[in-house]
Amino acid sequence: VQTCALPIFDPDAFRERFTRACLREVSGDLAGAAEDVGWLLDHPPEGIDESQLIALNEWHRRLLHPR
């Protein structure tokens, strides 16, 4: 019997939220991806620089308002 294992994410981990946002976007779940990117913006890790925050904001905007 084969089983399918889903990765378990720590919802408070920045890297894992980022990865999940990418996976959600690629799979077409733009609302879910936007939710994760919004969380990333609300909980930036220490050391994140301004250009990275700008990129996250632009990504979030594109997810909320796709062309």
Side-chain angles (χ1 to χ4, degrees):
V1 174
Q2 249 184 343
T3 61
C4 179
L6 294 175
I8 303 300
F9 290 102
D10 174 359
D12 295 327
F14 188 90
R15 185 178 306 210
E16 290 179 355
R17 281 276 185 156
F18 183 89
T19 301
R20 187 171 71 176
C22 292
L23 292 171
R24 284 176 149 182
E25 182 180 22
V26 169
S27 71
D29 180 9
L30 299 184
E35 179 182 322
D36 282 336
V37 176
W39 185 94
L40 296 173
L41 289 166
D42 290 340
H43 302 88
E46 288 185 31
I48 192 167
D49 65 37
E50 186 176 346
S51 66
Q52 292 169 320
L53 286 174
I54 290 169
L56 282 175
N57 273 301
E58 290 174 357
W59 184 19
H60 193 237
R61 188 173 56 247
R62 283 193 315 270
L63 290 168
L64 292 173
H65 307 289
R67 294 181 183 207

